[in-house]
Amino acid sequence: MSGFPIAITGTGMVTGVGLNAPATCAAIRCALDNFQETRFMDNGGEWLMGCEVPLEQPWRGRTKLIKMAAAAINECLANNLIDPKATPLLLCLSEHERKGRVIDDDNQFFLDLQAELGMEFHEKSRVIARGHVAVAVALKHARQLLQELSFKHVLIAATDSLLVAQTLAHYEEHERLLTSQNSNGFIPGEAGAALVVEAVHAKREHQLICHGLGFGVEKAHVDSEEPLRADGLTAAIKESLGDAGCEMGDLDFRITDISGDQYYFKEASLALLRLLRKRKEEFDIWHPADCIGEVGVVMGPIMIAVLKAACEKDYSKGNHIVAHLGNDDGKRSSMIFMWQEVGGGNYGE
């Protein structure tokens, strides 16, 4: 499957800083956040900070997840000529082990989402309940569907919320949340996002193209007591670089799902030290969670949508990017993106 590039041709988003992709990307570009006191209290008796999506009605739980996913998918459908019946939808959801997970039946959730949208997708659709790394798994499936079965489009969507009492209690107990008593933690959020993926076509002048995918497993994950050497992330990035036919030094900047845990900053630094063979003046690292909070499985599609907007509006730090993500259980994924003219050269040309 390697060596088959795929293009990201459409995006849709609903986040705490914007109810569509342009608004969200503009807010993230300006480093605006919407962190406010939630209705949840921490163990110190202070209100927890969070980043809620302000929909027109105060929906919660499963209903809100469906509404956010539907809004993001509708934005993609409005801006791209897509026939849902001929298009597989790869729906990314939180991992089943997530404490406080409000979806008890993934397949029923998919059917309810179709009912909310008033449409049915192709039978090759599937649910990918893999947490942060789900978007890379979805791109791998999309690549296969586009290459082997010649679909015109594949839709990837994600929806998630960490603003659930049981989820927050679990993360606070493990000292992962930013609270009045813990400064090394994340601010919880919620979001929905969607991507349109196609084979690379000559009809578009510029495209954001995914050239490489890689996966790894970190034994010294965030909840383990083992010393961190970033083996899992290093392996994932190495595989994605091999898939894309380039080296770390060929890339211009990084975008990640880091949301406040010092562990993940350290991991990203270690992986860079192990993989970068030539000196670079700067190798910036973007982390959109600074603005939207920790949004779980939706982080990946949002990172890709942010990249697309940055490249289109010419405020990115270059045209060759590595995007990497990690789950708390140690699963790691990496994606190599390139903003390029179709028909233009590849790395180093």
Side-chain angles (χ1 to χ4, degrees):
M1 289 316 305
S2 64
F4 183 79
I6 52 176
I8 314 298
T9 56
T11 59
M13 275 195 280
V14 52
T15 68
V17 294
L19 296 181
N20 56 44
T24 294
C25 291
I28 290 171
R29 182 184 183 184
C30 297
L32 300 176
D33 66 57
N34 186 24
F35 298 146
Q36 297 179 8
E37 288 181 351
T38 65
R39 64 190 200 288
F40 302 103
M41 198 172 269
D42 69 20
N43 290 336
E46 302 287 335
W47 295 111
L48 275 175
M49 298 301 285
C51 190
E52 286 190 51
V53 171
L55 296 180
E56 62 266 28
Q57 289 185 38
W59 291 299
R60 300 231 173 267
R62 193 174 180 279
T63 305
K64 188 165 191 179
L65 293 182
I66 286 175
K67 297 286 183 186
M68 292 191 296
I73 291 168
N74 276 326
E75 185 180 352
C76 279
L77 296 175
N79 296 323
N80 295 268
L81 291 170
I82 293 171
D83 174 12
K85 272 195 165 57
T87 305
L89 171 61
L90 307 179
L91 180 61
C92 302
L93 300 176
S94 61
E95 47 283 71
H96 292 121
E97 301 77 36
R98 163 86 66 79
K99 296 286 186 289
R101 191 179 197 263
V102 295
I103 302 167
D104 50 8
D105 183 334
D106 292 355
N107 292 330
Q108 189 57 49
F109 184 85
F110 189 96
L111 294 173
D112 292 347
L113 174 58
Q114 287 190 140
E116 172 72 25
L117 289 161
M119 62 186 70
E120 287 187 7
F121 292 94
H122 192 276
E123 61 184 21
K124 286 285 184 186
S125 297
R126 66 194 298 166
V127 172
I128 301 170
R130 299 282 192 90
H132 276 222
V133 302
V135 73
V137 177
L139 284 171
K140 191 175 181 181
H141 285 302
R143 183 152 78 171
Q144 206 166 350
L145 291 167
L146 294 166
Q147 185 177 13
E148 294 180 1
L149 301 176
S150 304
F151 282 99
K152 192 164 187 287
H153 305 98
V154 175
L155 263 175
I156 295 173
T159 183
D160 204 355
S161 175
L162 273 78
L163 297 169
V164 178
Q166 207 182 332
T167 308
L168 296 173
H170 168 77
Y171 282 119
E172 184 174 13
E173 186 190 330
H174 288 81
E175 299 185 336
R176 302 287 308 286
L177 270 188
L178 185 68
T179 67
S180 58
Q181 300 168 310
N182 180 35
S183 60
N184 175 25
F186 61 76
I187 294 175
E190 57 187 4
L195 305 170
V196 182
V197 185
E198 298 179 49
V200 177
H201 294 300
K203 63 178 190 222
R204 296 170 198 264
E205 280 192 6
H206 283 89
Q207 293 179 36
L208 181 66
I209 297 171
C210 177
H211 278 278
L213 294 169
F215 300 89
V217 177
E218 178 56 62
K219 288 194 176 74
H221 57 79
V222 68
D223 294 321
S224 83
E225 299 295 316
E226 294 185 41
L228 176 65
R229 294 178 59 240
D231 290 338
L233 182 57
T234 301
I237 296 174
K238 206 179 257 184
E239 186 184 345
S240 64
L241 291 169
D243 195 14
C246 65
E247 295 179 4
M248 196 73 164
D250 299 326
L251 307 178
D252 298 309
F253 69 103
R254 301 166 283 164
I255 186 165
T256 80
D257 58 346
I258 293 171
S259 59
D261 270 313
Q262 288 169 13
Y263 168 94
Y264 288 107
F265 278 104
K266 183 181 174 186
E267 182 187 39
S269 300
L270 284 171
L272 184 65
L273 280 170
R274 291 180 62 178
L275 289 165
L276 196 58
R277 297 277 177 264
K278 54 175 145 178
R279 189 175 178 278
K280 292 180 82 73
E281 285 301 316
E282 66 168 346
F283 203 9
D284 207 2
I285 184 165
W286 290 11
H287 23 86
D290 284 4
C291 303
I292 56 172
E294 170 56 76
V295 294
V297 67
V298 195
M299 206 67 236
I302 287 174
M303 285 159 52
I304 295 169
V306 164
L307 277 186
K308 187 170 184 290
C311 292
E312 283 172 350
K313 294 189 162 52
D314 205 24
Y315 61 89
S316 73
K317 298 276 186 158
N319 294 335
H320 307 86
I321 309 111
V322 57
H324 59 77
L325 305 121
N327 288 2
D328 289 346
D329 66 359
K331 293 186 183 74
R332 301 289 181 261
S333 65
S334 172
M335 303 164 282
I336 306 296
F337 288 97
M338 187 173 172
W339 178 250
Q340 71 185 81
E341 279 187 67
V342 175
N346 208 322
Y347 292 95
E349 290 180 10

